[in-house]
């Protein structure tokens, strides 16, 4: 795989090829092919039930935890199929982190919340430094530096979500998947998270599922629009640069959706 | 992020452990979980093997004869071992207990779930649960030295003197500690578990049906008759069987209150012995062959209680799940 | 309600006025029946609570009058006829054996519950759940017989009545109780936390040991304490495993052990008043111990909930 650090096209971070996801016999997502650029923010949008969260969770094999789920096709991460026989899903999740819809800090101290993931991943360096760095990156350090030993649950919702982001980047993943990370937050906390996401783009590739069209327009470089077909399987309608999608959509469905006529 | 030649290895982090760790972890937990099954099987096998010489010596008469005359041999089986009177003792006391406890438990559950306000019902329910927390030896002590001589005996005396002449098994002579006294105290002991299960089932009565009955102008009792009781019936059956399982196996309180005599029952007001009771009372002084016979009694008791418990749990599971709470275990 | 009943009711002037002519006329009778039945149900709860009140009252009254400093601090009086002595050896033995039992039953019970919840798609799980429930109903005297056959009757160093045999017997009674209660507690840990941990690249054992179980810790302690309280009052199993002793027995093996319920059982059955008085005091001591353990369990459960 060739990586171009200087060129405008930074190269591919991850690519889905003809991916289908099944829950039992139900096909939730069909024939998804997507190429995600390095150090970009890609928004996955679409009406509820269109499988965008399922697609997101396929990128780090979180769907493996659902007993009936099955993924067909390939997801290439740095040239390797993460669904290949000999790949350990745990290793995949270490490289491709995830932030969830509802802030879900562990019932541990703020410090431990950040340190835990790194520790179980065998981090050997200076933990204090890593925790401080991660909290800085997550724009949370100034608010919590005097109370690192307090429970992560004592923070506000927005702070909790930034703690979860800090926890994720402490593991130093290459890609961060975000499943509607601001949907449980108030507007001000939402804007802070969006600022943070743009900041994180410098070092990480980000895929974000969102319900919020403005958020997709504001925060992302690329947008993938999904829809559900008649047998309730989600499929990719259109994928292109965000400006393109929002100003000049190629597909009629996309236009209807972004102008709020369905979904 | 720098590019890697080896896609799934990063310099920033060391190894976080191998996937084989998970496999071992799962195996260890599975073994712990299976220990319940292993222990139950081991219980039956070990006791049955030890009791085997008595079973082969006595044959069916072990459960059809009431001739219990232990020998004193260390190596052979020389005595007669017919446990029928103990089996009957267990069945009689358990039956008395259920005849009292089941209606009472249904009444309590109805009151707690359908009539009392939650602010009153909850502490009362907790109080009934507390009956399960009293150790059985305390029931035995209390029954032996207080409840039976002061409350139960006078009551029984009246029954024996009045209806006892006409009704079989209720006649004189009355001894202080007998099947009935053990059964009555046993009723108090199994009440909380029957109530706990029944209460749980009644709480699950669909609110729409209750409101439907009221909307038709039912009184509360009519609503209970029409909706709550029919719906709760399988749960009550399961609860009764669970209570039966408990009553069959209860040892020290029954041993202290049943009177401890070895003969076939002719009246409820006569002293007797139960399966668990004969083990508890005679085991410590038993000869080696007698120990084997008592193990045999234990095997019979185990088989009966486990079958009753399995049936009870199946019935309760079929009504929609297990029952939570301390009183139900 | 049949139409004839409705007709008879409309003939009654009083009811037709009071009920605007629409209500069934036997309403008063139905209402009276309802009141009677509700009264009977109230009587049922009263009849259930009277024994509880009588037990508590009698144990406290007779127990307190026999309880004194000597009772709490001395070992058992060998004579049933003479006054004096206490149950210190029994208290010691009970705590000792319950401690041993907890060491065996808590890890095994919690591990069983963990398997049932965290590996719920295993085919073994329904069997484990079912037989855990069944095991709660195994008579305690039979558990005693079992331990007798595998441990006590042997000639090895584990043979003979002993603290270990008693503790093992109690542990077999505790395991299903702990497993059942722990299962409910572990189930309460939100899946969000498991997902968060998996998302960080945690292995399953790390998720379970470092996230799920610590989150459930207070509830697990409560579950274990309730089982301990139950075990502390057990008598039958100890008759065949610990046997009883008149002195304080520090040995784990080779020597019979005393227990509070065993002494109460033995002293209550004789005809002698001094022994009876001690048995009441012992019952009070035992119930206070059980109460204390239960209260601690509930306190921990409430205090440290996340």
């Amino acid at each position: 795989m060739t990586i171009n650090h200087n060129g405008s096209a930074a190269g591919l971070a991850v690519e889905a090829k003809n991916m289908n996801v099944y829950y039992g016999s139900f096909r939730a997502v069909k024939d998804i092919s997507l190429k995600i650029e390095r150090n970009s923010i890609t928004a996955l949008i679409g009406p509820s039930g269109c499988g965008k969260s399922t697609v997101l969770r396929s990128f780090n094999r979180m769907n493996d935890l659902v007993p009936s789920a099955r993924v067909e096709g390939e997801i290439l991460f740095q040239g390797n199929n993460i669904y290949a026989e000999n790949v350990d899903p745990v290793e995949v999740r270490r490289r491709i982190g995830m932030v969830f819809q509802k802030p879900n800090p562990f019932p541990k101290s703020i410090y431990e919340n950040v340190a835990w993931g790194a520790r179980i991943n065998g981090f050997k360096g200076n933990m204090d430094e890593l925790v401080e760095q991660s909290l800085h990156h997550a724009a949370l350090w100034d608010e919590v530096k005097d109370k690192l030993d307090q429970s992560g649950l004592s923070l506000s919702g927005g702070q909790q979500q930034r703690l979860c982001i800090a926890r994720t980047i402490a593991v130093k993943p290459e890609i961060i998947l975000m499943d509607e990370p601001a949907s449980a937050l108030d507007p001000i906390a939402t804007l802070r998270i969006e600022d943070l996401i743009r900041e994180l783009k410098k070092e990480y590739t980000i895929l974000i599922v969102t319900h919020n069209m403005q958020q997709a327009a504001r925060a992302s470089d690329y947008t993938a629009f999904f829809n559900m077909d008649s047998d309730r399987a989600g499929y990719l309608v259109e994928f292109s640069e965000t400006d393109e999608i929002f100003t000049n959509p190629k597909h009629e469905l996309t236009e209807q959706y972004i102008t709020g006529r369905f979904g | 992020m720098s590019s890697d030649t080896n896609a799934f290895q990063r310099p920033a982090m060391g190894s976080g452990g191998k996937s084989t760790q998970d496999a071992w972890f799962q195996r260890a937990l599975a073994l712990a979980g299976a220990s319940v099954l292993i222990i139950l099987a081991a219980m039956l096998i070990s006791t049955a093997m030890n009791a085997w010489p008595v079973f082969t010596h006595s044959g069916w008469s072990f459960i059809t004869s009431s001739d219990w005359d232990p020998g004193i041999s260390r190596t052979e089986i020389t005595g007669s071992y017919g446990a029928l009177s103990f089996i009957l003792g267990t069945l009689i006391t358990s039956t008395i207990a259920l005849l009292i406890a089941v209606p009472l438990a249904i009444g309590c559950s109805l009151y707690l779930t359908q009539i009392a306000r939650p602010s009153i019902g909850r502490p009362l329910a907790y109080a009934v649960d507390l009956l399960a927390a009293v150790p059985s030896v305390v029931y035995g002590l209390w029954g032996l030295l207080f409840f039976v001589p002061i409350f139960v005996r006078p009551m029984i005396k009246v029954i024996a003197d009045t209806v006892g002449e006409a009704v079989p098994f209720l006649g004189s002579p009355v001894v202080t500690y007998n099947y009935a006294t053990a059964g009555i105290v046993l009723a108090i002991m199994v009440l909380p578990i029957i109530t706990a299960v029944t209460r749980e089932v009644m709480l699950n009565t669909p609110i729409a049906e209750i409101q439907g009955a009221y909307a038709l102008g039912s009184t509360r009792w009519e609503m209970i008759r029409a909706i709550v009781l029919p719906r709760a019936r399988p749960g009550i059956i399961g609860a009764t069987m669970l209570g039966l399982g408990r009553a069959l196996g209860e040892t020290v309180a029954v041993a202290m209150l049943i009177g401890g005599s070895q003969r076939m029952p002719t009246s409820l007001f006569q002293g007797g012995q139960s399966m668990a009771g004969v083990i508890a009372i005679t085991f410590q002084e038993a000869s080696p062959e007698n120990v084997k016979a008592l193990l045999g009694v234990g095997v019979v008791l185990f088989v009966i209680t486990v079958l009753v418990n399995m049936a009870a749990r199946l019935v309760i599971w079929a009504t929609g799940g297990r029952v939570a709470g301390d009183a139900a275990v | 309600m049949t139409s004839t009943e409705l007709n008879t009711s409309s003939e009654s002037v009083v009811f037709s006025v009071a009920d605007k002519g629409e209500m069934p006329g036997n309403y008063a009778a139905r209402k009276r029946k309802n009141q009677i039945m509700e009264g009977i149900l109230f009587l049922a709860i009263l009849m259930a609570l009277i024994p509880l009140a009588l037990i508590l009252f009698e144990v406290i009254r007779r127990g307190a009058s026999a309880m004194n400093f000597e009772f709490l601090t001395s070992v058992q009086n060998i004579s049933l006829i003479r006054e004096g002595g206490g149950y210190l050896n029994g208290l010691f033995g009970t705590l000792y054996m319950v401690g041993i039992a907890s060491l065996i039953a808590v890890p095994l019970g919690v591990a069983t519950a963990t398997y049932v919840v965290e590996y719920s798609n295993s085919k073994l799980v329904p069997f484990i759940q079912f037989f855990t429930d069944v095991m709660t109903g195994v008579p305690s005297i039979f558990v005693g017989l079992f331990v007798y056959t595998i441990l006590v009757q042997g000639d090895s160093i584990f043979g003979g009545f002993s603290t270990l045999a008693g503790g093992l017997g109690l542990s077999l009674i505790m395991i299903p109780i702990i497993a059942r209660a722990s299962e409910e507690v572990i189930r309460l840990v939100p899946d969000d936390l498991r997902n968060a941990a998996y998302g960080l690249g945690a292995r399953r054992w790390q998720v379970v040991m470092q996230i799920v179980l610590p989150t459930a810790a207070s509830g697990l302690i409560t579950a274990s304490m309730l089982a301990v309280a139950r075990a502390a009052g057990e008598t039958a199993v100890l008759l065949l495993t610990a046997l009883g002793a008149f002195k304080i027995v520090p040995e784990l093996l080779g020597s019979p052990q005393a227990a509070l319920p065993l002494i109460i059982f033995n002293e209550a059955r004789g005809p002698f008043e001094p022994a009876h008085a001690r048995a009441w005091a012992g019952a009070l001591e035992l119930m206070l111990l059980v109460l204390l353990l239960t209260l601690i369990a509930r306190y921990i459960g409430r205090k440290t909930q996340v």
Side-chain angles (χ1 to χ4, degrees):
Chain A
M1 172 183 269
T2 37
I3 311 275
N4 185 348
H5 283 283
N6 308 316
S8 53
L12 286 184
V14 66
E15 176 183 5
K17 272 185 168 173
N18 303 322
M19 183 177 70
N20 290 278
V21 185
Y22 298 83
Y23 293 116
S25 58
F26 168 62
R27 179 152 75 160
V29 160
K30 69 174 182 186
D31 295 330
I32 306 287
S33 293
L34 256 183
K35 292 182 178 180
I36 306 294
E37 297 250 352
R38 282 194 172 224
N39 295 79
S40 68
I41 302 172
T42 303
L44 312 185
I45 63 170
S48 343
C50 70
K52 53 194 190 296
S53 283
T54 300
V55 170
L56 188 79
R57 293 164 66 89
S58 302
F59 278 101
N60 71 341
R61 296 191 63 169
M62 285 299 278
N63 281 333
D64 289 24
L65 302 171
V66 181
S68 66
R70 187 162 49 86
V71 176
E72 281 176 2
E74 291 188 335
I75 288 185
L76 298 175
F77 175 58
Q78 299 177 348
N80 301 44
N81 179 14
I82 63 169
Y83 283 95
E85 194 106 330
N86 57 349
V87 172
D88 180 354
V90 172
E91 287 297 330
V92 173
R93 295 183 203 122
R94 285 175 184 168
R95 314 286 302 273
I96 305 178
M98 186 147 196
V99 176
F100 297 83
Q101 185 169 1
K102 225 176 89 205
N104 52 1
F106 300 125
K108 297 175 185 284
S109 71
I110 292 170
Y111 183 97
E112 266 307 304
N113 259 283
V114 180
W116 188 75
R119 189 177 304 127
I120 58 157
N121 280 303
F123 177 74
K124 296 259 162 42
N126 184 334
M127 187 60 86
D128 291 355
E129 231 166 62
L130 178 72
V131 170
E132 181 174 344
Q133 227 177 50
S134 306
L135 286 167
H136 262 304
H137 275 292
L140 190 60
W141 174 253
D142 291 334
E143 290 158 65
V144 301
K145 64 178 183 230
D146 299 323
K147 48 178 185 180
L148 291 174
D149 55 345
Q150 283 182 19
S151 167
L153 297 165
S154 67
L155 299 174
S156 73
Q159 289 173 323
Q160 287 190 9
Q161 194 60 302
R162 277 179 279 144
L163 179 62
C164 292
I165 292 173
R167 174 174 78 180
T168 304
I169 58 188
V171 183
K172 300 197 186 302
E174 273 121 287
I175 299 174
I176 301 176
L177 309 175
M178 297 187 171
D179 191 356
E180 303 196 38
S183 68
L185 306 180
D186 62 65
I188 293 171
T190 301
L191 286 176
R192 292 208 61 169
I193 297 280
E194 286 177 19
D195 282 344
L196 174 57
I197 291 171
R198 271 194 296 273
E199 196 59 33
L200 290 173
K201 169 185 145 170
K202 291 173 188 157
E203 287 182 61
Y204 306 96
T205 306
I206 294 166
L207 272 83
I208 175 170
V209 164
T210 177
H211 248 105
N212 180 333
M213 226 77 65
Q214 281 82 33
Q215 189 169 67
R218 276 196 306 262
S220 69
D221 303 317
Y222 297 91
T223 297
F225 171 62
F226 293 84
N227 193 23
M228 205 179 355
D229 71 8
S230 52
D231 58 359
R232 293 191 297 130
Y235 66 100
L236 180 62
V237 179
E238 190 169 349
F239 174 51
S240 109
E241 288 185 20
T242 298
D243 287 347
E244 188 80 5
I245 289 262
F246 278 88
T247 56
N248 187 20
K250 295 207 171 45
H251 206 289
E252 198 183 333
L253 274 174
T254 316
E255 189 183 350
Q256 284 175 358
Y257 183 72
I258 59 169
T259 52
R261 265 176 280 162
F262 85 99
Chain B
M1 291 295 121
S2 62
S3 69
D4 316 292
T5 42
N6 194 344
F8 290 101
Q9 221 153 47
R10 278 164 310 158
M13 293 284 163
S15 169
K18 300 211 171 55
S19 58
T20 49
Q21 292 172 336
D22 271 351
W24 282 109
F25 183 66
Q26 178 169 4
R27 258 169 244 155
L29 284 186
L31 188 66
S35 68
V36 174
L37 309 176
I38 297 167
I39 290 168
L40 276 174
M43 281 178 168
L44 183 58
I45 293 167
S46 179
T47 48
M49 270 171 51
N50 277 279
W52 203 251
V54 172
F55 287 150
T56 52
H57 174 264
S58 300
W60 285 109
S61 71
F62 190 76
I63 52 173
T64 57
S65 152
S66 62
D67 177 21
W68 184 268
D69 186 15
I72 50 161
S73 168
R74 296 194 58 83
T75 51
E76 289 165 87
I77 308 295
T78 59
S80 329
Y81 301 101
L84 182 62
S85 68
F86 311 134
I87 296 172
L88 289 176
T90 296
L91 294 180
I92 291 169
T93 49
S94 301
T95 308
I96 295 171
L98 289 184
L99 286 175
I100 299 169
V102 171
L104 211 52
I106 295 173
C108 287
S109 306
L110 283 176
Y111 186 81
L112 295 172
T113 61
Q114 308 299 327
I115 294 179
R117 274 178 283 126
S119 58
I120 297 170
R122 216 165 293 141
L124 284 181
Y126 187 72
V128 176
D129 281 353
L130 261 186
L131 281 171
V134 177
S136 60
V137 72
V138 174
Y139 276 108
L141 171 77
W142 172 77
L144 197 64
L145 301 182
F146 174 78
F147 189 59
V148 169
I150 291 174
F151 281 83
V152 183
R153 188 181 153 80
M155 207 172 70
I156 287 178
K157 201 96 178 109
V158 170
I159 295 174
D161 290 346
T162 52
V163 296
E165 306 301 323
V167 184
F169 299 113
L170 293 181
S172 304
V174 174
V175 300
T176 308
Y177 303 105
N178 53 48
Y179 295 110
T181 54
I184 290 168
V185 174
L186 200 48
I188 304 170
M189 298 176 72
V190 297
L191 181 69
I193 189 169
I194 303 177
T195 308
V197 178
T198 310
R199 204 170 63 206
E200 193 93 353
V201 178
M202 288 180 180
L203 278 175
N204 290 333
T205 314
I207 192 87
E209 291 185 19
I210 295 177
Q211 287 172 344
Y214 281 137
L216 292 173
S218 302
T219 63
R220 183 141 59 184
W221 172 247
E222 286 163 350
M223 185 279 292
I224 289 171
R225 281 288 303 268
I227 310 291
V228 179
L229 282 178
R231 280 235 166 226
R233 182 183 292 163
I236 293 171
I237 293 170
T240 304
M241 291 161 82
L242 205 56
L244 175 61
R246 246 7 99 83
L248 294 171
E250 173 50 42
T251 310
V252 290
V254 172
M256 290 163 93
L257 298 171
I258 197 171
S261 67
Q262 246 181 55
R263 54 174 176 178
M264 288 297 279
T266 53
S267 156
L268 296 186
F269 304 145
Q270 162 211 318
Q273 189 55 283
S274 72
M275 286 191 270
V278 72
I279 302 170
I281 302 290
T282 64
F283 193 90
Q284 296 189 350
E285 273 98 45
S287 67
E289 64 161 292
N290 193 1
V291 163
K292 287 186 169 55
L294 292 172
L295 282 164
V297 175
V299 171
V300 175
L301 177 65
F302 175 78
V303 170
I304 296 174
T305 50
V306 164
L307 287 179
V308 168
N309 267 293
M310 284 170 67
R313 295 295 181 181
L314 283 175
V315 171
I316 293 170
W317 278 29
T319 66
R322 308 159 89 193
V323 174
D326 324 334
V329 291
Chain C
M1 201 95 350
T2 63
S3 57
T4 44
E5 275 175 303
L6 274 170
N7 287 340
T8 29
S9 77
S10 55
E11 284 164 25
S12 157
V13 181
V14 180
F15 286 140
S16 64
V17 171
D19 301 329
K20 295 180 186 133
E22 289 156 14
M23 279 304 246
N26 56 355
Y27 183 66
R30 289 167 56 208
K31 198 174 165 187
R32 202 172 324 116
K33 184 173 186 190
N34 184 53
Q35 279 169 344
I36 292 169
M37 290 316 296
E38 287 191 10
I40 289 175
L41 297 182
F42 179 72
L43 217 60
I45 193 87
L46 212 61
M47 282 185 57
L49 294 179
I50 287 173
L52 179 69
L54 287 176
I55 291 172
L56 294 180
F57 180 77
E58 207 55 23
V59 167
I60 292 169
R61 187 176 72 87
R62 308 259 280 250
S65 69
M67 177 77 79
N68 53 38
F69 186 73
E70 187 197 351
F71 182 84
L72 288 172
T73 54
S74 25
V75 299
Q76 206 180 332
N77 192 335
I78 294 176
S79 161
L80 295 181
I81 307 164
R82 273 192 293 271
E83 290 185 11
Y87 284 6
L88 187 63
N89 55 328
L91 181 64
F92 175 83
T94 289
L95 294 176
Y96 194 176
M97 287 188 287
V98 165
I100 302 281
S102 303
L103 289 180
I104 303 168
V106 173
L108 215 51
V110 171
T112 301
T114 306
Y115 186 72
V116 165
V117 178
E118 300 294 324
Y119 293 87
S120 56
N121 51 345
S122 154
K123 289 192 182 65
L124 203 57
V125 163
F127 292 96
I128 295 174
Q129 284 183 304
F130 182 73
F131 284 102
T132 304
D133 279 6
V134 170
M135 196 171 163
T136 61
V138 171
S140 115
I141 188 88
F142 182 79
V143 173
L145 288 174
F146 169 61
V147 174
Y148 180 87
T149 60
I150 60 164
L151 217 56
V152 179
Q153 71 175 359
D155 294 327
S156 70
I157 56 154
F158 295 108
F161 297 102
S162 68
T163 312
L164 182 73
L168 182 64
L170 293 180
S171 78
L172 294 179
I173 287 162
M174 289 170 67
I175 287 169
I177 300 176
I178 294 176
R180 270 188 62 120
S182 302
E183 191 189 316
E184 285 165 36
V185 170
I186 296 171
R187 229 178 263 292
L188 288 180
V189 175
D191 266 343
D192 284 356
L193 292 181
R194 294 184 181 88
N195 283 331
Y198 283 122
L200 290 171
R203 300 236 171 250
R204 197 157 197 170
W205 70 268
Q206 290 167 322
V207 176
V208 172
M209 297 301 287
Q210 298 178 27
I211 301 295
V212 175
L213 293 184
T215 304
S218 64
L220 296 176
I221 293 171
T222 304
S224 305
M225 293 296 275
L226 290 172
V228 163
R230 181 71 62 91
E234 268 300 334
T235 316
V237 67
L238 298 179
L239 284 167
L240 315 185
T241 54
L243 193 68
F246 285 104
K247 55 181 179 25
I248 287 179
V249 180
E251 290 88 4
L252 183 61
L253 285 164
S255 176
Q257 179 60 278
L260 278 181
L262 278 183
I263 312 178
I264 298 170
F265 181 63
N266 287 328
E267 295 216 308
R269 281 161 61 223
F272 308 109
E273 184 46 39
H276 288 175
R278 284 192 297 264
W280 283 108
L284 180 61
E285 189 176 5
L286 180 61
M287 295 217 6
L288 287 175
L289 180 67
V290 170
L291 181 72
L292 185 71
L293 292 169
T294 312
L295 287 180
I296 292 173
R298 298 212 179 272
Y299 178 77
I300 293 171
R302 209 159 299 167
K303 185 82 180 171
T304 52
Q305 228 141 46
V306 193

